[in-house]
Amino acid sequence: MDECIFCRISQGDIPADKVFEDDTVVAFRDLNPQAPTHILVIPRRHIATLNDIDNDAEAIIGRMYGAAREVAAAEGLAEAGFRTVMNCNEAGGQTVFHIHLHLLGGRMMHWPPG
Ligand code: DGP
């Protein structure tokens, strides 16, 4: 997926402020942060939306949450708390069609989200 911006970040073709990476996932700071800490956790495998998760990809989703937990701890967010969100398709607010888990922290979160 040469045209996918998050594939290109994963491959290192486009710079990003990466905070974590392993064989399965990459985590980097969001370009347009909505909280003092706003990090995106993406799989290296191109998966367009949460609707496209198959049985194989369920393990990837698990790893994304595991990485989010590790990054949240490293960023000092674990005790106070943080939010993880994955938007799906237009009505869900998705704008980049390579799944990503938003990790937001450093301020009080509101509910319901807008
Ligand atoms: P969503 O609306 O859920 O699809 O979130 C997409 C997020 O991706 C949005 O918060 C901005 C961020 N983003 C888009 N392009 C780039 C980029 O090139 N670099 C980084 N670091 N973040 C990006």
Side-chain angles (χ1 to χ4, degrees):
M1 295 297 292
D2 290 347
E3 70 278 15
C4 171
I5 194 155
F6 284 0
C7 283
R8 296 185 68 193
I9 285 174
S10 165
Q11 290 156 9
D13 295 341
I14 292 179
D17 187 358
K18 291 180 182 171
V19 296
F20 181 89
E21 58 186 320
D22 65 14
D23 289 346
T24 307
V25 302
V26 182
F28 54 90
R29 295 190 193 280
D30 195 292
L31 207 56
N32 184 25
Q34 301 301 313
T37 301
H38 187 172
I39 290 165
L40 303 174
V41 182
I42 69 166
R44 290 194 186 276
R45 177 177 151 192
H46 183 84
I47 302 168
T49 81
L50 196 54
N51 290 330
D52 301 304
I53 297 298
D54 55 21
N55 287 343
D56 289 347
E58 286 185 7
I60 293 174
I61 298 290
R63 184 64 202 126
M64 289 170 70
Y65 274 93
R69 176 183 58 76
E70 291 173 39
V71 170
E75 295 282 325
L77 300 174
E79 191 173 337
F82 56 91
R83 179 168 290 169
T84 51
V85 180
M86 191 184 295
N87 299 326
C88 183
N89 272 341
E90 188 183 356
Q94 186 176 8
T95 59
V96 177
F97 288 85
H98 178 131
I99 58 168
H100 45 281
L101 193 59
H102 294 262
L103 167 60
L104 300 136
R107 66 167 170 83
M108 285 300 293
M109 297 294 151
H110 305 293
W111 194 262

